[in-house]
Amino acid sequence: MPSKVYGVNLGSWLVLESWMLPQEWLNMGGQSCSDCSTCIADEFSFAKAFPSTVDAIFKTHWESWFNQTDVSTLKNLGINTVRIPLGYWIVEPLVNRQTEFYPRGGLQQLIRGLEQLHAAGIVAILDHHALPGVQTPNQMFTGHCTSDVEFYTSPNYLRALTWAGVMTALSHLHPAFAPVFAIEAVNEPIMDAAQTPGYGTYQGNFVTVVRGVEAAVGVKTQGLDSPQSTTNASQAILDFASAQSNSRFNSDVKTAMGNAASILEQIASDDSTQFNLKGSGHGQTSLVTNFMDVNWQNDNPPNPAAAAWGPQAYDNHLYYVFGGVAAADPEDYMVSICNLGRVQADAVLGDSPLWFGEWGLPTQFDATDMFLQEWADAQKLAYSQGAGWIFWNFKVEHSELAGNLSREWSYIDGVKLGYLTKDPSTVHNTSVCDPFVS
């Protein structure tokens, strides 16, 4: 993990959000509508509508939206971290093809992208952005824009735990996954904890699956004895899970580890994944488990700090453009951000280190160029009080249909326009908050 995270999200790559590339989406065959649940506006509805061509169409998108040119640009801009939004369907055996519809082939693209990032010296967070059953209603970022939220149920928690087991094993055993240092359990769960039953239990199980798989493949893990050697990682995970009597290794954890072991066999049998089961995690460091912070939710939420076992970090997202944070004028924005206090409030509750995994420059008013430069500086200073920041998004489509969207949502364009400094560790004006600090 970098001493300070200066990052961008690779949004709309492996979880496509059509609002960010409206013209390309129409060219692909998608549709645009004010309510994304009523037309072909997400990956689920697209794959359902075009089952015979979806894989080829998305392969073209994946290869054009994020590639070596983008990696080189990010390296030149001093970016040291990327957060990669992923859907559960990147682990293809988790998908029920009778009722769930998603493109295939994403894992091979992730492997390709991680290899390019590693060569550039950029590290990665694997962000479980779109969960089985959908974790938040009516959002494109879940992959299926629907009001029917089914993630907070035992079967879908189990699928998410299995996903975590697979990604943990790949992160230690697949050479392409060398830049991965963290796995995020859930992107933006429902904010009202009363609507997320079982989420606290899931947090504990997620960490145990990660640590269990790590120990099974030879990563030194506090409180667990790793096998001296392994010749088949899948079998090692199965054997390790069945041998555990620790109460943290409950039936869901053991089942998820067993399911992950089986899926790893399937991945290894596919030559296109360049993966075999003979690798070992001996000598490697533990992954950072990552959660949205406790203050993301309200109504007596579970604190993910209670689940910590080994290195753990926390994530907060802050968008002023959606309202509810500050009055819609420049001065109120600056007073708010310059007196934020979220890093300190989280630390009191044990949620530290904290990074800001999503933020941007969009406002609720017509911002001047000068304000956007000050707004960028003030946000970077606030978020750098913690572990750092990850901008949403690395880029946005340039098209007549997209209009001026990239001005405030694209990191690359933000640097070109002079709002963001080319060196992410610096700001234009270190005293930008002085008039607003109370």
Side-chain angles (χ1 to χ4, degrees), residues 16-19 25 31-46 136-147:
L16 191 151
E17 298 183 46
S18 56
W19 68 271
W25 184 246
Q31 299 172 338
S32 176
C33 48
S34 57
D35 178 351
C36 61
S37 68
T38 62
C39 72
I40 303 173
D42 57 31
E43 294 204 22
F44 183 102
S45 57
F46 190 99
T136 305
N138 303 314
Q139 292 286 354
M140 286 181 188
F141 70 68
T142 65
H144 183 196
C145 187
T146 176
S147 60

Side-chain angles (χ1 to χ4, degrees), residues 121-323:
I122 298 171
V123 296
I125 301 161
L126 302 182
D127 155 36
H128 205 173
H129 207 74
L131 280 291
V134 176
Q135 79 273 24
T136 305
N138 303 314
Q139 292 286 354
M140 286 181 188
F141 70 68
T142 65
H144 183 196
C145 187
T146 176
S147 60
D148 183 19
V149 174
E150 299 287 347
F151 170 60
Y152 307 98
T153 61
S154 294
N156 285 322
Y157 279 138
L158 184 59
R159 285 202 288 174
L161 293 173
T162 300
W163 184 96
V166 171
M167 287 297 161
T168 300
L170 290 174
S171 296
H172 287 292
L173 302 175
H174 196 305
F177 282 68
V180 175
F181 75 92
I183 300 180
E184 185 162 14
V186 183
N187 173 69
E188 297 193 0
I190 294 173
M191 288 182 163
D192 182 357
Q195 298 180 43
T196 61
Y199 180 47
T201 300
Y202 168 74
Q203 291 173 346
N205 287 344
F206 172 86
V207 175
T208 305
V209 167
V210 172
R211 300 299 173 228
V213 170
E214 287 186 324
V217 301
V219 179
K220 188 175 181 180
T221 305
Q222 182 181 4
L224 296 175
D225 294 324
S226 296
Q228 293 301 308
S229 63
T230 59
T231 56
N232 181 302
S234 176
Q235 190 61 49
I237 293 168
L238 280 172
D239 293 344
F240 186 88
S242 64
Q244 298 311 303
S245 58
N246 183 320
S247 61
R248 290 193 67 151
F249 286 85
N250 57 44
S251 60
D252 285 344
V253 169
K254 289 185 176 184
T255 300
M257 290 178 66
N259 292 345
S262 175
I263 290 172
L264 289 165
E265 294 270 10
Q266 297 176 56
I267 293 172
S269 70
D270 181 350
D271 291 343
S272 69
T273 65
Q274 310 159 51
F275 176 62
N276 68 68
L277 296 165
K278 297 178 181 178
S280 169
H282 283 283
Q284 296 184 27
T285 57
S286 298
L287 293 166
V288 175
T289 48
N290 184 213
F291 294 95
M292 299 296 297
D293 62 332
V294 63
N295 286 314
W296 174 258
Q297 290 190 300
N298 54 59
D299 200 5
N300 194 31
N303 189 341
W309 179 2
Q312 185 157 294
Y314 305 87
D315 182 12
N316 189 265
H317 299 171
L318 186 52
Y319 293 114
Y320 281 70
V321 68
F322 300 126

Side-chain angles (χ1 to χ4, degrees), residues 320-341:
Y320 281 70
V321 68
F322 300 126
V325 184
D329 67 77
E331 183 173 351
D332 278 281
Y333 269 42
M334 293 299 285
V335 169
S336 171
I337 194 66
C338 292
N339 298 280
L340 188 61

